[in-house]
């Protein structure tokens, strides 16, 4: 069964460093998302991406964050200068369409980001 | 702000018992998803409900979407230890999903 994959599974970085989290969405999906989950808290939406551009973003997704689809398979989240409060699980998700099945978002296993 | 409140927050039951967990909001959603999340892993989609009043069954799990599309319930019949986990509801109006905090279920053998 197709699944979303994410690398690395765990990333440790020092405050102020740049990190890139990678995702390979399900191959026939057109919409891609990043969510994060701080330990013990809700899963929170960061950004959605369609047709090579951001379609929606949350207040969390400030200028320190960027997303890119550098090729036909990968979808990345970059944090330019990490802060301690960026420590969280970051989940990539994908879905087929906006209407109908778009609400069926399939999540990857996550990348645990630890900022020290 | 769209909020999804899930109740109860924690539930511990004996194997074989039935249970219902709830997901409530003051907002109308176009659809509502139920996910299950294991520690350190991503949410796994269980079901999507779209139509008000819709009922979907997945083996021993029954999901219902409220008539007004503001709330949903998950009923598990004859719970098993393998049902232990965090059950999350997530509502959609546009593409971003709004998640509840979840109900942590523990089924004791």
């Amino acid at each position: 069964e197709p699944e979303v994959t994410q690398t690395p599974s765990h990333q440790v970085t020092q405050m102020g460093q740049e990190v890139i989290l990678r995702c390979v969405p399900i191959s026939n999906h057109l919409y891609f998302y990043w969510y994060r989950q701080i330990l013990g808290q809700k899963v929170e939406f960061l950004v959605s991406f369609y047709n090579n551009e951001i379609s929606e973003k949350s207040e969390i997704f400030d200028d320190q964050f960027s997303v890119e689809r550098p090729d036909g398979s990968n979808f990345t989240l970059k944090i330019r200068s990490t802060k301690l409060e960026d420590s969280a699980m970051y989940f990539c998700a994908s879905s087929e369409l906006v209407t109908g099945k778009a609400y069926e978002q399939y999540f990857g296993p996550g990348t645990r980001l630890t900022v020290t | 702000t769209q909020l999804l409140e899930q109740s109860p927050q924690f539930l511990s039951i004996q194997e074989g018992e039935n249970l219902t967990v709830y997901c409530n909001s003051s907002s109308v959603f176009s659809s509502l998803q139920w996910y299950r999340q294991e520690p350190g892993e991503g949410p796994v989609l269980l079901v999507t409900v779209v139509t008000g009043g819709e009922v979907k069954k997945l083996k021993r799990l029954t999901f219902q979407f409220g008539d007004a599309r503001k709330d949903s319930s998950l009923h598990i019949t004859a719970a098993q230890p393998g049902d232990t986990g965090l059950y999350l509801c997530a509502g959609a109006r546009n593409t971003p999903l709004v998640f509840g905090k979840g109900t942590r279920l523990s089924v004791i053998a």
Side-chain angles (χ1 to χ4, degrees):
Chain A
E1 186 173 326
E3 57 183 20
V4 177
T5 60
Q6 291 186 242
T7 55
S9 57
H10 192 187
Q11 174 88 50
V12 181
T13 189
Q14 287 190 326
M15 194 167 51
Q17 295 296 304
E18 175 184 286
V19 295
I20 297 176
L21 310 183
R22 292 182 167 81
C23 167
V24 178
I26 294 173
S27 62
N28 65 329
H29 284 184
L30 300 176
Y31 286 85
F32 315 120
Y33 313 86
W34 284 101
Y35 290 81
R36 79 172 186 190
Q37 186 176 33
I38 295 171
L39 186 64
Q41 297 187 23
K42 296 181 185 182
V43 177
E44 301 174 289
F45 169 74
L46 293 178
V47 65
S48 59
F49 191 86
Y50 169 70
N51 201 26
N52 284 319
E53 61 182 26
I54 291 172
S55 51
E56 285 190 69
K57 59 182 181 179
S58 71
E59 292 177 352
I60 304 169
F61 194 88
D62 61 22
D63 292 344
Q64 293 298 314
F65 292 88
S66 62
V67 289
E68 191 178 30
R69 187 154 164 82
D71 54 45
S73 59
N74 289 285
F75 179 51
T76 63
L77 173 69
K78 182 193 290 187
I79 308 175
R80 265 182 267 285
S81 177
T82 50
K83 303 187 281 282
L84 293 175
E85 53 265 39
D86 293 328
S87 295
M89 281 287 281
Y90 287 82
F91 295 110
C92 173
S94 68
S95 64
E96 289 186 40
L97 298 167
V98 172
T99 58
K101 282 195 172 277
Y103 305 130
E104 293 189 348
Q105 296 180 21
Y106 294 86
F107 284 72
T111 292
R112 179 172 297 285
L113 176 65
T114 302
V115 182
T116 61
Chain B
T1 303
Q2 306 162 35
L3 289 176
L4 277 171
E5 300 291 336
Q6 290 191 245
S7 61
Q9 195 173 352
F10 300 96
L11 185 59
S12 181
I13 62 170
Q14 294 291 324
E15 182 177 4
E17 291 183 355
N18 301 332
L19 67 113
T20 302
V21 299
Y22 300 93
C23 175
N24 295 294
S25 176
S26 58
S27 301
V28 175
F29 290 98
S30 302
S31 72
L32 199 134
Q33 280 67 240
W34 283 91
Y35 290 85
R36 180 172 157 177
Q37 186 179 26
E38 302 297 336
E41 299 181 12
V44 175
L45 181 64
L46 297 174
V47 78
T48 297
V49 285
V50 178
T51 307
E54 182 176 3
V55 176
K56 281 192 174 178
K57 292 194 173 185
L58 187 68
K59 296 183 182 178
R60 293 177 292 101
L61 278 60
T62 301
F63 305 86
Q64 183 160 10
F65 202 13
D67 290 341
R69 291 186 289 132
K70 292 182 179 181
D71 53 81
S72 181
S73 63
L74 159 58
H75 182 80
I76 301 179
T77 303
Q80 298 176 2
D83 295 328
T84 294
L86 180 66
Y87 290 84
L88 300 171
C89 67
R93 294 180 72 184
N94 297 307
T95 50
L97 292 177
V98 175
F99 279 84
K101 285 189 175 180
T103 292
R104 188 166 295 282
L105 173 65
S106 176
V107 182
I108 302 164

